[in-house]
Amino acid sequence: MLVNMKILYATETGNARDVAERVARECSRQSIKISLTSIDAYDARQLPKEDKNILLFVCSTMGQGDPPKSFEKFWKFLLKKNLPLSTSLLNLKFAVFGLGDSSYEKYNFVAKKLFRRLEQLGGESVIELGLGDDQHFSGYDGGLDQWLETLYVKIFGSEFYREKIIGFKDKLDVCPVEVSVVVRDGDGDGVGSVDGVNDDDDAPVETRRGVMRAVDSMATEEVSDDNNGTYWRALKVMKNECCTSESAVRQVHHIELDNRYTDVHDFSPGEVLEVLPCSRSAIGREVLDLLTNSIVVKDGDNGYRAILDAENLVVSVSSSGSSSKNSRYICRAKYLVAYFLDCFSASPRSYFFEVCAYFAKDPLEKEKLQHFASPEGRADCYQYCQRERRSVKEFFEEFTSVKLPLEWLLHVAPKLKPRQFSISSSPSQHKNSDGTHVDLISITVAVAKWTTPLKRLRSGLCSTWMAEKLRTSDVVYARVVKNGGLPYSHTGSMILIGPGTGAAPFRSFILERCSRRNFDDKILMFFGCRRKAEDNLYETDWENVEKWSQGNIKVVTAFSREQENKVYVQDKIRGDSSKEVWDLISRCEAKIFVAGSSEDMPARVREAIRDVCAKEGGMDKESATRYIAELEAKKRYFVEAW
Ligand SMILES: Cc1cc2nc3c(=O)[nH]c(=O)nc-3n(C[C@H](O)[C@H](O)[C@H](O)COP(=O)(O)OP(=O)(O)OC[C@H]3O[C@@H](n4cnc5c(N)ncnc54)[C@H](O)[C@@H]3O)c2cc1C
Ligand SMILES: Cc1cc2nc3c(=O)[nH]c(=O)nc-3n(C[C@H](O)[C@H](O)[C@H](O)COP(=O)(O)O)c2cc1C
């Protein structure tokens, strides 16, 4: 019987990785040999030789049916024309689980494509394609539980009983993170660095670098070098101004970052800046309270003890995993909680409850947590936690008998995840005097706020932090995501559709053309907001570019709430601009770009373009739909939605 499994995951926001880790955990409880690898760290040329392993692919779908960045190289390999069909992967046995959201048109597109392609190349699927759906009442776990049970039985046989793999009531897994208390700074053998310890609260930049190194030393699986901390750059805030009125439902901030001292010399309009958010409480009282009240540390051979001096607790962290990069790293515990974990905003997943159930002293709390961690309790757990966006801090306030060891907190609490923002400035407009380096990068940030089903007011971690906390000279950790984003070109006509913060990448496009004085090709931009006096972002910029370009750049604005009937960008496209849109598409071969909210805007815009093609191009609806699909195939229709 084959009992080795390799898990390859491709994730953008971490869910696929969580699934991969769950499978690895459940298999290792059964002593099955498992390896866990981010797909960009896997050499795809090994695929034909994987006759001793079953490969499990876990991958999400992002954008409008796009793969996560880490999937691209692997996918390119699979699409190679010289791979003979039916025979290339004859030795491969595989399973695919996809993560997606059925409210998107291209639901789980990547997993579906991958499954088909692996079969086409001769691979043998050991189970039908598994799909997780954000829309399911218990999230992606809804599709995962049953699928995994079937997978385990198919691969490992019926002795792989569910009771054995799901939930440990009396026995704890081995925690891959190791933590030991360092009594004095620099104490402990084999310790390479004490940077994190020497930093105080006034030196957050170096502290954060220290935590990144600590995080590297806790890594248990192979990830590509692109994912490690060294790629982050420290950028100082030059300007942070609110560009909406007080009455606006959603605040939007224009933030300018000083890029003069980084080695990121250039970028292309359309690329995005990835930002590491800061825990809302940073290193304030809340972190110390959490450590003091709910977390325990090893006390030599005497089990665990409460943390007495959370402010000054210094720990050495390392991993018992297989990563070759592993080394021990010394850091203040409060920095690890503040800069590595998201304990004050994100919701923990079911493994967190499983581990906490083990450490709960109160029998009622234990029972409730065991229920949350069980497949039967998934929906309740989802309602309690994800739907309500309940944080780790809120959890500990309710489950007071749980005293969690620090290493487990570091392993199972949600990690701070980077957020992406479309760059809204033009690179060439901000080049230094000799034109070799871009000095300024701006982003346009909408503050996320919403109420939960139980009417609790919640706000987005990164956008709230940036809008409310960042002052001039504060530091943001960020990196430009190269070769991603919308493909800008210096020439050619364009139709740009960017309501709300969707305007950000198009401001960059348009200002870049202006900066290069390229006004030969027409640009028609559709911007949408609620009211002229509330959230009419970059109004002055649009007026200026229309003037400079002498009409070759035109900005049409849809104010949705200025009149009785709501008017959106799609209405403007279909309405007065219909002929102009068709002329640009059919005669000027314009490229169409759509950016902004992922709700139903991209679908409504697509319908509007289809209607324009039908009306002005004399097509029926089906032909117009096909026409747009062809534009997409010819790389003339792009969507970036979030
Ligand atoms: C390629 C790309 C480009 C982007 N460009 C921009 C940009 O230019 N400007 C910009 O502002 N953002 C942009 N974003 C979005 C941005 O990355 C963040 O997702 C956004 O700022 C929210 O992050 P946050 O940390 O504030 O919120 P989080 O703490 O991450 O919370 C957001 C999450 O909370 C939940 N949530 C939020 N609102 C609601 C609601 N009303 N009801 C229920 N649940 C809700 C959702 O689960 C949502 O995913 C972009 C995203 C991508 C992928
Ligand atoms: C900006 C964005 C775009 C998305 N686009 C799609 C999509 O086109 N199709 C789909 O099935 N799911 C889509 N999703 C849903 C994700 O696939 C889903 O949330 C998944 O759990 C994310 O997994 P990850 O964290 O491993 O990346 C999208 C999610 C976001 C945030």
Side-chain angles (χ1 to χ4, degrees):
M1 184 173 56
L2 269 168
V3 284
N4 294 344
M5 196 193 270
K6 272 192 181 170
I7 309 175
L8 301 175
Y9 64 86
T11 186
E12 198 76 47
T13 62
N15 292 339
R17 184 175 189 267
D18 288 345
V19 170
E21 282 182 347
R22 171 177 161 187
V23 181
R25 199 165 52 236
E26 290 176 354
C27 288
S28 60
R29 282 179 198 164
Q30 295 287 308
S31 310
I32 287 155
K33 240 176 114 186
I34 283 282
S35 77
L36 186 64
T37 310
S38 172
I39 204 154
D40 54 351
Y42 178 78
D43 181 356
R45 288 169 304 182
Q46 295 304 313
L47 273 181
K49 300 172 207 155
E50 295 283 9
D51 53 345
K52 296 203 170 49
N53 299 303
I54 287 181
L55 260 63
L56 167 60
F57 296 89
V58 187
C59 54
S60 64
T61 298
M62 295 304 286
Q64 300 295 302
D66 304 322
K69 297 242 152 32
S70 58
F71 189 75
E72 282 165 4
K73 202 174 77 193
F74 180 82
W75 185 236
K76 228 179 184 169
F77 174 84
L78 281 192
L79 290 185
K80 279 192 168 169
K81 291 219 167 64
N82 60 359
L83 290 176
L85 292 179
S86 312
T87 54
S88 301
L89 301 180
L90 265 184
N91 295 327
L92 181 74
K93 289 194 164 51
F94 72 91
V96 177
F97 187 82
L99 292 112
D101 181 331
S102 56
S103 69
Y104 284 87
E105 198 176 297
K106 294 186 175 171
Y107 172 53
N108 257 310
F109 198 59
V110 174
K112 288 175 185 170
K113 271 196 318 192
L114 173 65
F115 189 87
R116 269 201 309 272
R117 184 64 181 159
L118 291 172
E119 279 199 327
Q120 211 178 38
L121 294 173
E124 182 195 333
S125 57
V126 294
I127 182 173
E128 65 194 36
L129 173 66
L131 298 179
D133 184 359
D134 284 358
Q135 296 298 317
H136 190 279
F137 57 83
S138 41
Y140 63 70
D141 281 326
L144 181 65
D145 287 336
Q146 186 58 53
W147 185 83
L148 266 186
E149 259 190 77
T150 315
L151 176 77
Y152 291 150
V153 171
K154 283 205 166 164
I155 302 179
F156 307 117
S158 53
E159 69 271 24
F160 201 90
Y161 288 117
R162 202 186 65 161
E163 299 87 81
K164 282 194 191 163
I165 52 159
I166 296 172
F168 45 82
K169 291 191 174 153
D170 311 311
K171 196 168 157 272
L172 194 60
D173 291 325
V174 174
C175 182
V177 175
E178 290 174 356
V179 171
S180 55
V181 173
V182 174
V183 182
R184 286 180 294 113
D185 289 4
D187 196 0
D189 58 327
V191 172
S193 165
V194 290
D195 291 2
V197 176
N198 296 328
D199 295 320
D200 58 23
D201 295 4
D202 297 329
V205 176
E206 278 314 308
T207 302
R208 198 134 203 205
R209 277 202 201 286
V211 170
M212 285 171 196
R213 274 182 235 137
V215 170
D216 275 353
S217 71
M218 284 187 280
T220 54
E221 83 283 18
E222 289 175 44
V223 291
S224 126
D225 277 349
D226 286 0
N227 291 340
N228 73 29
T230 54
Y231 282 74
W232 296 100
R233 306 283 183 268
L235 300 164
K236 276 198 175 167
V237 175
M238 297 169 78
K239 190 196 256 185
N240 182 359
E241 66 183 18
C242 180
C243 29
T244 44
S245 75
E246 273 181 21
S247 57
V249 185
R250 208 164 193 211
Q251 259 190 30
V252 178
H253 277 235
H254 173 79
I255 299 176
E256 292 182 355
L257 301 166
D258 187 349
N259 189 48
R260 276 176 301 176
Y261 308 108
T262 78
D263 55 357
V264 179
H265 301 300
D266 208 354
F267 65 88
S268 170
E271 288 184 334
V272 298
L273 190 75
E274 213 169 31
V275 174
L276 269 183
C278 205
S279 170
R280 200 168 299 156
S281 350
I283 35 200
R285 192 68 247 160
E286 277 188 299
V287 171
L288 301 180
D289 286 348
L290 181 97
L291 283 167
T292 308
N293 300 330
S294 312
I295 307 303
V296 290
V297 282
K298 274 207 183 97
D299 186 16
D301 295 332
N302 307 322
Y304 285 93
R305 65 164 170 82
I307 294 171
L308 305 173
D309 181 5
E311 175 71 42
N312 294 308
L313 175 69
V314 175
V315 291
S316 155
V317 291
S318 60
S319 158
S320 57
S322 58
S323 169
S324 54
K325 289 182 217 143
N326 286 346
S327 60
R328 295 174 63 195
Y329 196 82
I330 289 187
C331 194
R332 276 189 209 280
K334 65 174 186 177
Y335 291 141
L336 283 173
V337 175
Y339 294 135
F340 169 52
L341 300 181
D342 186 348
C343 291
F344 304 94
S345 170
S347 301
R349 299 207 62 89
S350 69
Y351 189 48
F352 178 87
F353 293 94
E354 206 172 320
V355 172
C356 286
Y358 182 86
F359 288 103
K361 295 215 167 55
D362 177 85
L364 285 177
E365 286 186 7
K366 195 183 259 303
E367 196 183 327
K368 194 166 174 190
L369 291 171
Q370 279 170 346
H371 170 68
F372 278 162
S374 69
E376 296 72 32
R378 288 267 193 263
D380 291 340
C381 183
Y382 198 69
Q383 298 284 2
Y384 168 80
C385 209
Q386 267 82 26
R387 285 270 150 101
E388 281 304 309
R389 188 66 182 259
R390 224 174 281 270
S391 66
V392 168
K393 172 189 169 251
E394 288 172 313
F395 165 85
F396 281 125
E397 281 166 359
E398 199 167 329
F399 291 87
T400 49
S401 84
V402 177
K403 303 294 171 204
L404 193 63
L406 183 57
E407 60 271 22
W408 277 107
L409 180 79
L410 294 172
H411 182 48
V412 297
K415 314 290 178 286
L416 269 184
K417 289 176 183 165
R419 311 295 202 264
Q420 298 192 337
F421 294 92
S422 308
I423 296 176
S424 55
S425 52
S426 136
S428 51
Q429 195 182 7
H430 297 287
K431 284 264 166 86
N432 60 359
S433 52
D434 56 9
T436 52
H437 189 86
V438 180
D439 285 346
L440 178 149
I441 295 177
S442 82
I443 52 175
T444 312
V445 178
V447 182
K449 285 203 189 323
W450 69 98
T451 39
T452 67
L454 293 179
K455 304 275 174 278
R456 289 148 34 97
L457 186 64
R458 305 271 90 177
S459 51
L461 175 70
C462 190
S463 57
T464 312
W465 164 66
M466 286 203 283
E468 293 176 4
K469 292 277 190 284
L470 282 184
R471 305 275 174 269
T472 307
S473 292
D474 282 350
V475 166
V476 170
Y477 262 91
R479 61 181 171 191
V480 174
V481 181
K482 285 276 162 203
N483 306 319
L486 295 165
Y488 165 83
S489 150
H490 292 311
T491 55
S493 294
M494 300 190 283
I495 299 171
L496 309 174
I497 302 141
T501 49
F506 303 144
R507 179 176 183 266
S508 175
F509 277 33
I510 289 176
L511 293 180
E512 182 70 5
R513 287 269 177 107
C514 290
S515 166
R516 291 170 175 270
R517 311 207 57 72
N518 177 0
F519 299 123
D520 296 340
D521 300 302
K522 284 203 163 188
I523 300 179
L524 178 58
M525 157 97 182
F526 292 90
F527 171 70
C529 63
R530 285 192 164 210
R531 291 192 173 85
K532 188 169 169 50
E534 260 178 23
D535 50 355
N536 192 8
L537 306 179
Y538 301 121
E539 185 182 9
T540 320
D541 287 329
W542 308 139
E543 283 168 9
N544 286 338
V545 298
E546 284 189 334
K547 239 184 291 158
W548 295 334
S549 69
Q550 298 183 334
N552 257 7
I553 299 175
K554 185 171 160 189
V555 181
V556 175
T557 307
F559 298 111
S560 64
R561 315 254 166 156
E562 289 282 12
Q563 58 287 308
E564 205 177 315
N565 295 328
K566 292 190 185 141
V567 173
Y568 296 111
V569 280
Q570 58 267 29
D571 302 312
K572 290 283 180 181
I573 293 170
R574 263 196 208 95
D576 295 346
S577 305
S578 175
K579 282 200 168 20
E580 204 173 348
V581 168
W582 175 245
D583 185 57
L584 280 170
I585 297 175
S586 60
R587 200 176 54 80
C588 306
E589 300 197 335
K591 287 183 179 166
I592 303 167
F593 295 88
V594 184
S597 157
S598 62
E599 284 162 17
D600 65 348
M601 183 276 291
R604 298 289 88 83
V605 166
R606 201 180 170 99
E607 282 166 13
I609 304 268
R610 179 203 61 197
D611 292 349
V612 166
C613 296
K615 183 174 149 206
E616 309 295 342
M619 304 177 207
D620 57 33
K621 257 192 185 168
E622 285 72 42
S623 313
T625 306
R626 270 201 308 278
Y627 185 78
I628 295 177
E630 279 163 25
L631 288 180
E632 211 166 24
K634 288 182 197 153
K635 303 223 172 296
R636 284 183 55 199
Y637 193 105
F638 301 93
V639 180
E640 182 150 274
W642 53 83

